[in-house]
Amino acid sequence: MAFLRTARVLPNLTRQCMRVATFQNNISRGYADMSFTFASPASVYYQGANVKQVDVPSFSGSFGILPNHVPTLAVLKPGVVSVIEEDGTQKKYFVSSGTISINDDSSVQILAEESARLEDLDAEAIRDGANRAAQELVSATSEQAKAEAQIAVDCYEALQKALH
Amino acid sequence: MTGGAMFSRAAFNFTPQCGQVRNMATLKAISMRLKSVKSIQKITKSMKMVSAAKYSRADRELKSARVYGGGAKVFFDKADIASDDKSPNHLVIAMTSDRGLCGAVHSGIARAIRAALPEKPPGTTTKIVCVGDKSRVILSRLFKDQMLMHFNNIGKQPPNFTDAAIIANEILKSGYEFDFAEMYYNTFRTVISYRLTVQPLFTLENLSKAENINIYDSLDEEVLRSYNEFALTSLIYHALKEGACSEQSSRMTAMESATKNAGEMIDKLTLTYNRTRQSVITRELIEIISGAAALK
């Protein structure tokens, strides 16, 4: 009896699976619309590429970008941009500052002032730099120097966080 | 020998020998000229080599700068941002460098600005920002009162993002409230060609007045300002890179043709030099032989 029920349920299941499969197909066709560009002055990481998802740190809070995201503009803050490519591999990059633009045709541009692959970062150099920046913050006298030193300290903090 | 020379100088007006006398005098002049052309050729040749090396680097760096600048432009295109050229305060940025000897790269930009400025609608004031000494030299003569600021020390080193940031920052804090801005620069196409490009730049006001800006979600003044300042820097960076690449490629071709021309000149001068030397020898032989014959 139980066997019979399974037999009756099975076609339903397959049909459902198929629906899921076609649904996923539709989505992946939707991915084709996301044209992702990620560059810094020195290097280009993605140019009009299709990716599944991009997570970005911005001053209005970190957020994830999926295809057909609502158009918006944002300003990058120091942190990690992680890109999930179409085959599911995740790549992480550190960015210092820059802009994010998401347009209504689902094209996304991330322009970083400086960027590096996470694996290229040197923990020791970051520690030294962080100490130097902290000293500069203490010794800074003018308002502008203080602000600049504060930015450096924030950036180094983000770098250290990115590595852990 | 001396007598012969004196005789022929005395007969200067009458005998065809006069040419040879002059040749004798010019033999030295020709060899001096030959030597100077040869050293000029050496200079142009090494300048070509240097700019070829600089060009290959600039070309490599341009590839990523192009993606970068293109990325900055996308938003302005998509959001349909426009500025009105009837608005009173105009700004023109001329992207050149300090170095010459590179064809018409810099003068082309200056010429375009010179042609464009009188065409501006009446009642507008235009200020000029010169990046690089070359445009300043040309434009400050014509539009002395309209110069807002200039930047030099451009072109020795390949431009970097910090340079662009300095330029953008100075323009923004200059206190000149422009509402219509254009940037003139050369876009690199191939080694032998570049195209003058006029890139409109937008102010915060242009941005917030654009029709399509409302489709963009959660924009506040601060984000838009930071975004626009960064985009301005990115566009300037792109223009600097394009300009540097056009300049180096153009210098390379200019120096190559200079080397070629010097080579042609050397060939001609060598020919003249040898012919002159030959005729001097012939003449001296004639003098000796005829002198010996007269003594018989």
Side-chain angles (χ1 to χ4, degrees):
Chain A
M1 203 55 188
F3 166 71
L4 263 178
R5 212 180 301 145
T6 338
R8 225 178 314 141
V9 169
L10 250 175
N12 262 339
L13 251 180
T14 21
R15 215 175 307 141
Q16 238 170 14
C17 282
M18 270 168 70
R19 210 177 304 145
V20 169
T22 45
F23 184 58
Q24 269 174 347
N25 265 340
N26 280 340
I27 287 179
S28 66
R29 225 175 294 146
Y31 281 148
D33 287 334
M34 177 148 160
S35 151
F36 177 58
T37 303
F38 177 26
S40 74
S43 41
V44 177
Y45 299 112
Y46 297 91
Q47 188 183 356
N50 292 333
V51 293
K52 268 189 183 161
Q53 187 186 342
V54 187
D55 295 334
V56 290
S58 93
F59 274 106
S60 38
S62 301
F63 60 99
I65 305 166
L66 288 166
N68 298 323
H69 191 280
V70 61
T72 189
L73 301 177
V75 182
L76 280 173
K77 74 171 186 183
V80 176
V81 169
S82 68
V83 181
I84 301 169
E85 289 179 355
E86 247 188 326
D87 56 3
T89 53
Q90 190 180 29
K91 293 211 169 134
K92 289 185 170 182
Y93 305 89
F94 183 82
V95 293
S96 65
S97 55
T99 58
I100 309 154
S101 26
I102 305 164
N103 298 302
D104 58 347
D105 61 352
S106 207
S107 69
V108 177
Q109 289 91 34
I110 298 182
L111 303 178
E113 190 170 348
E114 276 184 49
S115 65
R117 288 191 170 82
L118 221 51
E119 56 266 28
D120 293 343
L121 296 175
D122 179 8
E124 211 160 293
I126 293 168
R127 212 175 306 131
D128 291 349
N131 288 339
R132 213 169 39 241
Q135 273 171 11
E136 265 168 38
L137 183 61
V138 173
S139 59
T141 46
S142 72
E143 205 61 33
Q144 192 184 351
K146 255 182 208 161
E148 277 172 7
Q150 186 61 51
I151 291 168
V153 168
D154 289 350
C155 191
Y156 277 116
E157 269 172 18
L159 270 168
Q160 276 168 332
K161 223 195 286 171
L163 281 190
H164 297 305
Chain B
M1 181 69 201
T2 329
M6 269 176 75
F7 168 74
S8 40
R9 208 169 289 154
F12 195 80
N13 289 323
F14 310 103
T15 55
Q17 273 191 339
C18 66
Q20 286 172 355
V21 172
R22 282 177 68 202
N23 278 345
M24 195 170 164
T26 52
L27 197 56
K28 175 104 172 148
I30 290 174
S31 80
M32 271 165 70
R33 231 179 123 197
L34 196 57
K35 211 172 165 189
S36 93
V37 174
K38 270 183 184 160
S39 35
I40 288 172
Q41 192 194 31
K42 262 183 211 154
I43 293 169
T44 55
K45 205 170 189 173
S46 53
M47 276 182 86
K48 190 205 138 191
M49 303 280 235
V50 170
S51 52
K54 281 189 177 167
Y55 157 73
S56 67
R57 183 179 169 187
D59 188 43
R60 207 171 49 236
E61 288 178 349
L62 181 62
K63 285 199 180 73
S64 56
R66 221 168 232 179
V67 177
Y68 202 70
K73 267 178 227 167
V74 172
F75 163 68
F76 296 113
D77 293 343
K78 293 275 190 303
D80 240 352
I81 290 162
S83 46
D84 185 12
D85 68 342
K86 302 267 188 317
S87 40
N89 298 317
H90 288 214
L91 182 79
V92 166
I93 305 176
M95 285 290 183
T96 59
S97 87
D98 289 359
R99 301 293 180 92
L101 291 179
C102 48
V105 167
H106 302 322
S107 51
I109 286 184
R111 202 182 309 130
I113 292 175
R114 209 167 63 195
L117 283 200
E119 305 281 307
K120 296 271 184 197
T124 60
T125 47
T126 311
K127 293 273 182 196
I128 305 171
V129 172
C130 289
V131 179
D133 270 343
K134 284 288 159 188
S135 58
R136 184 181 64 93
V137 167
I138 307 171
L139 293 172
S140 63
R141 239 181 317 149
L142 294 155
F143 308 104
K144 207 174 175 194
D145 308 332
Q146 283 159 273
M147 304 299 284
L148 183 65
M149 61 173 92
H150 68 267
F151 301 90
N152 57 11
N153 231 341
I154 308 279
K156 271 197 191 108
Q157 299 286 322
N160 57 30
F161 199 78
T162 317
D163 297 337
I166 292 169
I167 293 170
N169 199 20
E170 288 297 324
I171 290 172
L172 289 173
K173 73 176 190 191
S174 67
Y176 180 63
E177 301 261 328
F178 56 91
D179 30 36
F180 180 84
E182 283 174 330
M183 178 164 66
Y184 286 71
Y185 65 97
N186 288 309
T187 305
F188 173 75
R189 287 175 67 205
T190 59
V191 180
I192 46 163
S193 79
Y194 48 84
R195 188 189 288 142
L196 181 85
T197 313
V198 183
Q199 168 71 38
L201 301 173
F202 301 104
T203 60
L204 197 54
E205 208 172 316
N206 296 146
L207 242 66
S208 42
K209 275 186 187 160
E211 267 176 47
N212 283 356
I213 197 78
N214 292 331
I215 60 167
Y216 287 85
D217 191 35
S218 69
L219 288 183
D220 57 43
E221 183 90 348
E222 191 53 38
V223 166
L224 213 54
R225 178 198 304 280
S226 311
Y227 183 89
N228 195 36
E229 285 177 4
F230 194 82
L232 175 72
T233 314
S234 309
L235 290 176
I236 290 177
Y237 173 73
H238 178 218
L240 276 172
K241 281 287 180 201
E242 291 276 2
C245 196
S246 322
E247 183 191 325
Q248 294 304 346
S249 70
S250 168
R251 178 171 296 126
M252 200 168 78
T253 35
M255 286 303 119
E256 192 178 322
S257 56
T259 312
K260 213 182 85 209
N261 290 346
E264 276 171 23
M265 214 158 152
I266 287 168
D267 285 349
K268 271 186 197 156
L269 280 173
T270 319
L271 200 69
T272 326
Y273 179 79
N274 286 339
R275 200 174 282 158
T276 316
R277 197 172 52 102
Q278 195 85 57
S279 68
V280 168
I281 293 167
T282 318
R283 196 176 52 96
E284 280 176 3
L285 276 176
I286 290 169
E287 275 168 12
I288 293 165
I289 293 164
S290 50
L295 282 179
K296 268 183 195 166

